Each structure stands twice: as structure tokens, then as C-alpha cells.
Amino acid sequence: MTLFEKLRCLLTFGQGVALSLPEISTDTSPSQLFEQWFTDAKKSGILLPEAMSVSSCNADGQPSSRMVLLKNYDEDGFVFFTNYASRKSHELIENDKVALLFHWNVLQRQIRIEGTVEKVSEQESADYFHSRDRGSQIGAWASKQSQKLKYDDELKERMSHYQNKFSKGEVPYPEFWGGWRVKPHAIEFWQGRANRLHDRICFEKQNELWTQHKLHP
Ligand SMILES: Cc1cc2nc3c(=O)[nH]c(=O)nc-3n(C[C@H](O)[C@H](O)[C@H](O)COP(=O)(O)O)c2cc1C
């Protein structure tokens, strides 16, 4: 994105951007469009363009949302990493239905994704785990993510414990930690436009084939 295009986005903020959706041919897959929009988001200088909201539901149907980082995506889905004993993971194990949300405000774009989750392979999780910096690897061992702290210094003490335990050599991969792949069956691309006449293009997967339609804003 050029500086001029960035300024145009900023100057029209609140009224819709002058950028229109790219023409979408009927054989464009949502993953190709996602790739284009994610590339634009990375080029725009937005901090953490890979940040996305993940919504899960507990057994009572109570939804909960939190931010995570998208680490991988392809035709098979969108991958993030977390603790498999966390609240979100418990909910995803109970109910594999999930929703993701990206919002890139300077581009006035939103992407909504609905689908189901599956765990990524242990190899994929271990490979990603070992690509992280050492502090984050030890932090993953120290954090009982989503559990109540028993006392204020508990986390600090657990961090020291694992720093000593893994002071030499490679930090082992913890089996309670890994990736979730969100396999989408519906994706909506939303582009802000003037006068609230926003563009909304939805893709729905039926019998392994994507169909597309537009929605009123
Ligand atoms: C920008 C941002 C990125 C985050 N990325 C992750 C992530 O990739 N994985 C993760 O487990 N938590 C991430 N977190 C923390 C989560 O939002 C959340 O606090 C944590 O996963 C516990 O959620 P849960 O108790 O619902 O399981 C991130 C938070 C923010 C604000």
C-alpha cells in the first residue's frame, strides 16, 4: 500500500474508504482473497495484523472470545497455538464449533470466519514450539493458562523452577500445548464504503465446494 493510499484511508475514516473490493471472479477461493487482504494488512503497517478474535462456546452455550495470533493458514484452515488445558481449549474440546474475527481498522476491513476445529499434529505443534524464543518456551511450561493463581508469586516461582530445570539443552515440547486448526465453512469479507454502503461478500462451503453471494450492509 502506498503512502497516498494509507493517507486516503485515514482521511476518509468514519465515512468509508475509497478503495473498493477487488473484482472477484467466480473461481476465486476465499483463501486466495484472504491471502490478498492479509498481505494488504501486513503492508499497511498495522501492529499485529495477525491478531484475531477466537470465539468458543461452553457446554451451556455461553460464548467467550479472546485474541490470539494467526500462525499459519492455507486451504485447510487457520492455525493458532495455545495451552490445551486453557479455558478456550476445554470449550473447543466440548464443542468444536468456532468463530474467528479479524478487524483491520485503517483498511476498514473485517473478515468473519465460522468453522470447526481440530488439533494440529503433534509434530506441527512441536516444530512451532521449538521455533519460539527460549523465554516463551519456558513460559509455556510455567503457565497453567486460565487457572486461578494460588498466590501472587506462583507464576514467578514456576518460571524460576522451569528455568532451572531446563537450564541446559533444548526445552522439551510440552504435550499440554499446541495448535488448533480452524477449518472454515463460512467466510465473510467486509469492506467499509462511503455512506455505510459497505461491501459484504460471503463464501459458504457445501459438499467441499465454495459458493459466494453478496449481502446488504
Ligand atoms: C494480541 C493478543 C494476542 C494473543 N495471542 C495469543 C495466542 O496466540 N495464544 C494464546 O494462548 N493466547 C494469546 N493471547 C492471550 C489470550 O487472549 C487469552 O488471554 C489467553 O489465551 C487465555 O484465554 P482463555 O482463558 O480463554 O483460554 C493473546 C492476547 C492478545 C491481546
Side-chain angles (χ1 to χ4, degrees):
M1 196 182 216
T2 64
L3 179 63
F4 174 74
E5 284 168 332
K6 273 189 208 172
L7 285 173
R8 189 170 55 176
C9 287
L10 286 169
L11 293 173
T12 60
F13 202 53
Q15 294 176 44
V17 287
L19 297 173
S20 57
L21 274 174
E23 281 304 311
I24 300 174
S25 68
T26 44
D27 58 354
T28 300
S29 74
S31 60
Q32 287 167 326
L33 192 53
F34 181 85
E35 169 76 26
Q36 287 170 18
W37 279 33
F38 192 45
T39 303
D40 289 344
K42 284 187 278 190
K43 279 198 223 152
S44 73
I46 296 169
L47 192 64
L48 295 178
E50 71 275 32
M52 59 183 186
S53 159
V54 177
S55 299
S56 52
C57 264
N58 71 11
D60 297 331
Q62 171 64 56
S64 66
S65 304
R66 76 289 291 157
M67 300 302 290
V68 298
L69 298 180
L70 176 72
K71 289 295 171 185
N72 194 11
Y73 63 93
D74 57 23
E75 294 284 341
D76 278 346
F78 301 85
V79 174
F80 66 93
F81 291 87
T82 193
N83 185 310
Y84 283 143
S86 63
R87 173 179 174 184
K88 72 181 88 50
S89 293
H90 277 302
E91 294 184 355
L92 294 172
I93 289 163
E94 277 179 335
N95 178 348
D96 67 355
K97 293 186 172 62
V98 66
L100 303 177
L101 180 68
F102 290 89
H103 174 220
W104 297 309
N105 66 359
V106 74
L107 300 173
Q108 296 208 38
R109 283 179 173 173
Q110 164 181 263
I111 301 180
R112 298 165 65 173
I113 298 171
E114 290 167 30
T116 52
V117 280
E118 62 181 27
K119 284 184 179 172
V120 307
S121 71
E122 193 172 315
Q123 189 60 52
E124 191 174 341
S125 291
D127 287 348
Y128 174 66
F129 181 81
H130 287 122
S131 76
R132 302 177 91 204
D133 63 86
R134 196 174 179 85
S136 301
Q137 293 182 37
I138 295 176
W141 277 96
S143 169
K144 297 184 184 173
Q145 193 175 54
S146 317
Q147 290 191 29
K148 288 183 182 158
L149 282 171
K150 292 199 184 95
Y151 50 94
D152 279 356
D153 281 343
E154 189 189 5
L155 188 59
K156 217 159 79 181
E157 286 175 17
R158 286 178 61 82
M159 194 66 187
S160 304
H161 169 77
Y162 286 106
Q163 273 164 340
N164 289 334
K165 185 166 178 173
F166 304 133
S167 62
K168 292 193 187 80
E170 189 176 74
V171 179
Y173 163 68
E175 281 172 12
F176 58 80
W177 191 96
W180 286 104
R181 175 170 285 105
V182 175
K183 298 174 78 74
H185 55 69
I187 307 188
E188 180 196 312
F189 294 84
W190 183 101
Q191 171 71 69
R193 303 293 302 275
N195 303 318
R196 305 283 188 268
L197 300 180
H198 315 304
D199 283 328
R200 299 176 68 187
I201 298 195
C202 299
F203 290 84
E204 280 176 6
K205 201 174 197 181
Q206 283 157 356
N207 304 323
E208 294 306 307
L209 286 177
W210 287 101
T211 58
Q212 50 172 281
H213 56 269
K214 292 189 176 182
L215 291 178
H216 280 259

